[in-house]
Amino acid sequence: MENTDVARILFEMGDLLELLDENQFKVRAYRQAAQVIDTLPTPVSELVRDGTLTALPGIGEGIAGRIAELVEHGTFEEHDRLAARVPPGVLELLEIEGVGPKTVSSVWMGLGIRDIDALEVACRSGRILEAPRMGELRARAILQAIARHRARKGRMLLHRALWIADEIVARLREVHGALRVEACGSVRRRLETVGDLDVLVGSKDPGPVTRTFVGMPEVASVVSEGPTKSSVRLKVGLQVDLRIVAPETFGAALHYFTGSKAHNIALRTRALRRGIKLSEYGVFDREGRRLGGAEEKDVFEIVGLPWIPPEIREGSGEIEAAEAGKLPRLIEEKDVLGDMHVHSDASSDGQSSLDELADEGKKLGRRYLAITDHSRSRPLGLDADALRAHARQVASVDRKRGGRPKLLRGVEVDILPDGSLDLPRDVLTELDWVVASVHSHFTDPEERMTDRIVRALESGVVDVLGHPSGRLIGRRDPYAFDLQRVIDVAKKRGVALEINAQPERLDLSDKACRLARDAGVALVISSDSHAANHLANLRFGVWAARRGWIEAGDVLNTRPWPWDGGERNSERRRIHSEKREARARGGPGGTEGSPRRNER
Ligand code: DGT
Ligand code: CA
Ligand code: CA
Ligand code: ZN
């Protein structure tokens, strides 16, 4: 059992207990345990085996016993007993944003609402107003949240889908006669969520490939099975489409099934104008003679274009850019030298010590890590004195380790509802790096939220705006704010915008990255790690950046630290923004006149 599965069931325990109005201490205990397990760097099964579970913060004998039972049997007795008392549809109500256990329990017990459909009907008819603390505004908000819940259902976050895709690809590669195996579709384009997986195999002998595919242990049901095309539904709910093609058409099929559909149509149209026919079976001339198709690059070559990276194949100007020789040279993970948003166990939700973080960072080849724990408004966040002491600790660990990687003294300071910062200026200016983020009052109206962020950016002590939109993909929409204005102010003030690489944030999003790039704003890609094993998530931020046409030069943490000789805040930023302006005017690496600029 994966840590995330264990955590999910523990979180569910908290919900079940709360719905059934059980002891609040117990509710909290399960949730805390879930949180700890969720961000644990080691497999929980190891701790069970070693009997060291109770060494974890907040895990007592009782819960440790249940976790052991869970790891061994996939469930535990108390959970099953509670779950049997709550209809599954009621539990699903909790997935709707803004609907907590109190509301669920009152509409379930009070109005007999047992699933989302019934909740929707009650919101529309106004019957919901009979529930306590319910008004028309809230009912309307719930209806919107139900719509969002339905829209995302069935799409999986990229990181989970990619993990599953890698397993399937690895398994099929072992099949005799499977000469080429690749995952294509949205997962290859690194879209932030994935509808289904598309796996392509090049083989002359499809039988064994198909048999292996439909017989995988993850398969819940076989949707269809045929010599060139099969589909299965996995136990986790995801559908996987398999295509098997002859090796000589593999490249053409890889291109076709990578998509996107919009890109395919645009490229095919361009090919047709040149008398070339593109399809998943190959590249052909007017007389139907095969011109190529074994390799994906053949497809581009024959239509007279350079190879276009999958991440930007969205039919949003990439073909025109390729035509004009103005494809961006997309940033790669190896370009990113450091990580600028890392939490340690000094603030409440961090799990790893400075040494553990540094060890893992070193393993991943990072040259510097900014340690950015939370400020005082967050639960157990640091006040001015605690932050000063923590910064000294960071510096001392850094000295002890000889700066490999270099540990920077930073903070993630809250932007308070009025736009002021959660710590005094003098503490902030002593640090190497200041991330400022919104963590509260997400429902402020757009203008107030924008003013709030702008005020923080204008403080002169902020280096980067953390997770700028506040979204949690599929769970929480971005708060209402004027992104373009934030971009403009960030640009003017020389403050960077973060590309937060947490798989469920990806914030800035791909689209927002492209807007920011067009405006010449400096970007920073950060993992926002809460445990050492999160540091590797940086790659998800790199992919979001690539989807946003970002090049290494757009991203500050592709440079060795100290950047530009280590000037503090405003000065350092001025230099960066001058360079970027020069580039935007068409200097080296300039992009003036490229389609993405004309597009606006
Ligand atoms: P998803 O699964 O919703 O996350 O997104 P995709 O892009 O993986 O979409 P999917 O699985 O429906 O199809 C995989 C690829 O196959 C798609 O990216 C492009 C190609 N494709 C599918 N339908 C069409 C079509 O009608 N025309 C063209 N030209 N290509 C298509
Ligand atoms: Ca797909
Ligand atoms: Ca598909
Ligand atoms: Zn944050």
Side-chain angles (χ1 to χ4, degrees):
M1 240 185 159
E2 292 274 314
N3 288 3
T4 48
D5 299 322
V6 174
R8 187 175 45 76
I9 292 180
L10 295 176
F11 274 125
E12 193 177 300
M13 268 307 284
D15 292 339
L16 287 168
L17 288 164
E18 192 159 32
L19 287 179
L20 295 166
D21 206 15
E22 303 252 350
N23 184 321
Q24 272 302 315
F25 287 107
K26 241 174 127 176
V27 172
R28 267 204 298 277
Y30 272 105
R31 288 192 179 142
Q32 195 185 351
Q35 181 81 36
V36 169
I37 303 288
D38 202 22
T39 55
L40 199 64
T42 44
V44 64
S45 51
E46 276 177 27
L47 303 188
V48 169
R49 200 190 49 217
D50 302 344
T52 50
L53 266 179
T54 48
L56 293 174
I59 296 195
E61 293 288 346
I63 289 189
R66 291 187 177 83
I67 293 174
E69 201 181 329
L70 187 53
V71 168
E72 195 177 337
H73 304 291
T75 180
F76 58 92
E77 194 270 333
E78 189 190 10
H79 173 265
D80 295 351
R81 193 156 37 79
L82 295 184
R85 290 168 57 195
V86 181
V90 169
L91 213 50
E92 194 187 353
L93 293 179
L94 288 169
E95 291 170 24
I96 298 168
E97 183 194 340
V99 176
K102 283 209 179 63
T103 306
V104 172
S105 128
S106 68
V107 299
W108 171 38
M109 308 274 192
L111 306 178
I113 289 172
R114 296 163 66 95
D115 57 32
I116 292 181
D117 291 344
L119 182 65
E120 184 180 20
V121 170
C123 284
R124 291 201 192 284
S125 70
R127 190 167 152 259
I128 190 86
L129 300 176
E130 293 166 26
R133 297 178 310 276
M134 189 60 68
E136 280 184 23
L137 265 180
R138 202 149 168 242
R140 221 173 308 145
I142 291 177
L143 275 177
Q144 285 167 2
I146 289 175
R148 280 195 301 272
H149 175 80
R150 292 219 171 101
R152 73 167 183 260
K153 233 176 133 182
R155 293 196 73 84
M156 187 179 270
L157 285 176
L158 175 64
H159 76 127
R160 279 190 78 200
L162 192 61
W163 193 74
I164 295 167
D166 285 347
E167 297 258 302
I168 293 175
V169 166
R171 191 171 291 121
L172 295 181
R173 280 194 179 137
E174 284 172 13
V175 178
H176 186 74
L179 304 176
R180 314 273 297 270
V181 184
E182 294 294 341
C184 27
S186 48
V187 99
R188 183 161 181 244
R189 302 196 313 279
R190 306 301 192 228
L191 197 63
E192 61 198 28
T193 63
V194 168
D196 68 10
L197 292 181
D198 305 279
V199 178
L200 182 68
V201 175
S203 175
K204 291 193 202 101
D205 181 16
V209 177
T210 304
R211 276 195 298 280
T212 304
F213 179 71
V214 299
M216 297 185 300
E218 300 91 331
V219 171
S221 63
V222 178
V223 179
S224 66
E225 186 176 343
T228 60
K229 213 172 135 177
S230 304
S231 283
V232 296
R233 186 160 291 282
L234 303 181
K235 288 172 191 157
V236 290
L238 192 66
Q239 179 165 322
V240 190
D241 296 339
L242 172 74
R243 288 285 189 137
I244 307 173
V245 299
E248 61 271 21
T249 65
F250 185 82
L254 179 60
H255 177 266
Y256 181 88
F257 291 112
T258 296
S260 64
K261 195 169 159 181
H263 166 89
N264 286 356
I265 292 169
L267 195 70
R268 192 165 50 207
T269 309
R270 180 190 155 87
L272 278 177
R273 281 203 307 269
R274 310 173 135 228
I276 297 164
K277 193 174 163 292
L278 279 187
S279 77
E280 64 255 57
Y281 304 109
V283 190
F284 304 92
D285 68 8
R286 280 202 185 84
E287 283 70 46
R289 281 183 302 241
R290 174 183 292 279
L291 302 173
E295 300 300 327
E296 191 179 57
K297 67 169 174 30
D298 300 348
V299 176
F300 291 102
E301 223 168 87
I302 294 167
V303 299
L305 293 178
W307 183 81
I308 300 175
E311 292 93 330
I312 60 170
R313 296 185 198 164
E314 294 295 343
S316 55
E318 72 276 12
I319 291 169
E320 294 83 343
E323 209 160 19
K326 292 200 160 143
L327 274 182
R329 192 183 309 156
L330 299 180
I331 186 169
E332 294 175 30
E333 190 184 355
K334 68 174 165 45
D335 295 326
V336 182
L337 302 184
D339 194 333
M340 304 311 288
H341 188 160
V342 178
H343 294 272
S344 77
D345 56 9
S347 55
S348 58
D349 52 357
Q351 299 293 319
S352 304
S353 67
L354 294 174
D355 273 307
E356 286 163 346
L357 292 167
D359 285 341
E360 183 66 20
K362 190 171 166 186
K363 233 186 270 167
L364 294 171
R366 310 276 186 260
R367 295 202 217 158
Y368 47 90
L369 303 179
I371 304 299
T372 54
D373 281 302
H374 285 295
S375 60
R376 59 187 167 188
S377 289
R378 311 288 303 145
L380 301 180
L382 308 173
D383 64 14
D385 288 342
L387 179 57
R388 281 200 172 98
H390 181 46
R392 280 195 297 275
Q393 178 66 16
V394 170
S396 120
V397 172
D398 185 53
R399 266 195 308 279
K400 183 194 78 187
R401 302 179 53 98
R404 281 198 304 256
K406 175 84 190 154
L407 299 181
L408 306 176
R409 300 162 305 161
V411 71
E412 180 180 18
V413 65
D414 266 40
I415 301 174
L416 299 175
D418 68 354
S420 64
L421 300 173
D422 190 29
L423 287 166
R425 288 179 77 85
D426 57 340
V427 195
L428 297 176
T429 52
E430 289 163 22
L431 300 169
D432 298 312
W433 184 252
V434 176
V435 183
S437 311
V438 168
H439 287 128
S440 65
H441 297 74
F442 296 120
T443 52
D444 277 355
E446 172 169 338
E447 210 181 313
R448 192 186 308 160
M449 184 59 96
T450 310
D451 288 345
R452 174 180 175 187
I453 295 171
V454 163
R455 189 174 162 203
L457 298 184
E458 290 181 335
S459 69
V461 294
V462 169
D463 291 296
V464 64
L465 176 64
H467 41 75
S469 86
R471 74 166 178 171
L472 296 174
I473 300 170
R475 285 208 289 138
R476 189 169 74 209
D477 279 351
Y479 33 71
F481 77 115
D482 181 345
L483 174 64
Q484 194 58 55
R485 196 172 145 223
V486 167
I487 287 175
D488 293 342
V489 173
K491 162 77 183 152
K492 193 157 134 239
R493 295 291 176 148
V495 177
L497 298 183
E498 181 178 81
I499 302 171
N500 187 297
Q502 275 190 34
E504 61 169 9
R505 286 194 185 270
L506 300 181
D507 182 8
L508 303 174
S509 68
D510 46 12
K511 288 196 183 67
C513 283
R514 206 163 160 190
L515 279 179
R517 192 209 148 137
D518 286 346
V521 169
L523 298 168
V524 164
I525 305 178
S526 300
S527 70
D528 194 359
S529 290
H530 287 71
N533 66 333
H534 297 170
L535 288 170
N537 282 341
L538 204 71
R539 59 196 186 126
F540 293 97
V542 173
W543 285 323
R546 287 170 63 86
R547 288 183 52 82
W549 295 53
I550 301 297
E551 304 186 325
D554 301 320
V555 175
L556 295 179
N557 49 327
T558 59
R559 308 162 187 218
W561 184 271
W563 300 334
D564 292 338
E567 302 88 331
R568 270 292 314 157
N569 294 320
S570 55
E571 182 60 8
R572 185 173 77 224
R573 289 198 299 264
R574 187 179 59 73
I575 291 170
H576 284 304
S577 64
E578 277 174 12
K579 283 190 182 160
R580 280 186 303 280
E581 255 160 37
R583 204 183 48 239
R585 282 194 305 269
T591 47
E592 198 156 65
S594 72
R596 62 177 162 276
R597 263 155 226 288
N598 300 337
E599 219 175 50
R600 271 189 294 158

